[in-house]
């Protein structure tokens, strides 16, 4: 079932932006959201476009990232940014330094668009900050994955309404150079089986393609039904991913260069 592919058409995996997507977004197109430690500033105050670690604001996306998970200085920067005894999620990290605690973990897969038929959905409407209460209600009923009060600001979100009520949605989350992630794909249980999610994925992908970028997405590794659906409409499994929920050491002291 699983096929790992190299999207560059040559070379080895490990240096492509998709291999470290949260960092590639925060250090690139999503830098406007990035919280990063400013060199020379006290750890509790540090923010800026420097440092080897970054995170999204807590009400936007509950993930942080390291430029290189093998670099002790990146872990030191992340600790300085977050502070002591703080919990955050990381993608693509298998091991943590001494003093850090793994409090949860999960496995996912990353899929990329290789033959998706992207097309607008005339019935879809653009969702914005004013729609967040309805969005969060739909998310609570369908559990597509993390969605926070300001997640909607990360990109274009589209929805379908029935008698005025939001019943399905999909949108853009991570934005990397040349790539955009499709996320929050969900449909109210009473309206499933009508292809609403697929139509929204195609419509979001059409907007991504119009900007000269390529869609990709993530799914839980155990969600075989969703993976089969994404494969059937034109996505290809690229690689497995690890998600860790970690807690920083409980003191301000960190190892490595600050």
């Amino acid at each position: 079932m699983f096929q790992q592919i190299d999207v560059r058409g040559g070379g080895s995996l490990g240096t492509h932006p998709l291999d470290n997507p949260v960092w590639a977004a925060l250090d690139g197109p999503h830098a406007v959201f990035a919280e990063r430690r400013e060199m020379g500033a006290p750890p509790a105050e540090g923010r800026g476009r420097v440092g080897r670690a970054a995170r999204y604001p807590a009400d936007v996306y509950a993930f942080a990232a390291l430029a290189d998970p093998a670099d002790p200085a990146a872990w030191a920067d992340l600790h300085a940014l977050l502070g002591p005894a703080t919990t955050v999620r990381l993608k693509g990290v298998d091991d943590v330094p001494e003093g850090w605690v793994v409090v949860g973990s999960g496995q996912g897969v990353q899929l990329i668009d290789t033959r998706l038929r992207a097309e607008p959905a005339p019935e879809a409407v653009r969702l914005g900050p004013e729609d967040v209460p309805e969005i969060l209600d739909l998310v609570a009923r369908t559990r597509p994955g993390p969605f926070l009060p300001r997640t909607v600001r990360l990109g274009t979100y589209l929805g379908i309404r029935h008698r005025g009520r939001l019943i399905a949605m999909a949108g853009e989350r991570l934005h990397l150079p040349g790539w955009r992630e499709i996320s929050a794909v969900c449909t109210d249980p009473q309206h499933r089986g009508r292809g609403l999610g697929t139509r929204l994925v195609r419509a979001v992908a059409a907007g991504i393609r119009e900007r000269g970028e390529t869609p990709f997405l993530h799914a839980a590794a155990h969600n075989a039904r969703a993976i089969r659906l994404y494969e059937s409409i034109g996505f290809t499994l690229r690689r497995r991913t690890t998600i860790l929920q970690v807690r920083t050491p409980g003191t301000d002291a960190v190892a490595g260069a600050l």
Side-chain angles (χ1 to χ4, degrees):
M1 176 184 175
F2 179 78
Q3 176 190 10
Q4 179 166 299
I5 64 173
D6 182 348
V7 298
R8 293 162 295 176
S12 60
L13 293 173
T15 58
H16 192 278
L18 288 174
D19 294 333
N20 194 356
V22 180
W23 175 259
L26 288 169
D27 196 50
H30 271 177
V32 65
F33 296 103
E35 296 181 355
R36 296 172 74 165
R37 178 172 177 257
E38 184 176 354
M39 301 301 286
E45 300 173 6
R47 280 187 190 182
R49 287 297 312 279
V50 296
R52 303 282 291 166
R55 68 173 295 177
Y56 280 93
D59 61 349
V60 174
Y61 187 40
F63 275 82
L66 304 155
D68 179 1
D71 181 4
W75 288 97
D77 279 346
L78 183 59
H79 190 188
L81 172 64
L82 297 175
T86 301
T87 301
V88 73
R89 293 176 181 175
L90 301 169
K91 287 182 187 285
V93 173
D94 297 315
D95 300 299
V96 300
E98 183 178 355
W100 292 71
V101 179
V102 176
V103 297
S105 64
Q107 296 293 318
V109 293
Q110 184 184 80
L111 303 97
I112 61 172
D113 166 21
T114 54
R115 51 185 177 80
L116 176 69
R117 189 181 80 246
E119 58 189 8
E123 72 273 40
V125 296
R126 177 79 179 260
L127 302 175
E130 67 279 4
D131 300 300
V132 166
E134 279 190 282
I135 291 173
L136 294 178
D137 180 65
L138 179 61
V139 166
R141 299 198 307 273
T142 58
R143 299 186 180 278
F147 198 98
L148 299 166
R150 290 203 299 140
T151 301
V152 73
R153 298 183 182 274
L154 291 177
T156 300
Y157 281 83
L158 301 178
I160 293 176
R161 297 182 181 277
H162 176 71
R163 296 178 179 174
R165 187 185 188 212
L166 185 65
I167 61 170
M169 75 169 190
E172 301 168 355
R173 190 166 60 188
L174 295 178
H175 184 193
L176 290 58
W179 299 83
R180 279 191 185 256
E181 179 191 25
I182 297 178
S183 183
V185 182
C186 57
T187 302
D188 185 286
Q190 296 183 356
H191 295 273
R192 288 175 181 166
R194 298 165 50 191
L196 302 182
T198 297
R199 294 211 292 276
L200 287 171
V201 167
R202 295 188 192 281
V204 174
I208 294 172
R209 293 256 195 90
E210 286 177 0
R211 296 189 293 269
E213 298 169 325
T214 303
F216 75 103
L217 51 81
H218 291 101
H222 63 77
N223 195 345
R225 180 177 176 275
I227 294 170
R228 286 195 300 269
L229 173 62
Y230 291 135
E231 288 181 307
S232 73
I233 64 174
F235 286 90
T236 298
L237 284 164
R238 177 178 182 262
R239 68 195 302 259
R240 297 187 184 276
T241 61
T242 300
I243 301 171
L244 295 184
Q245 187 171 17
V246 303
R247 185 169 63 244
T248 64
T251 67
D252 287 318
V254 293
L258 293 183

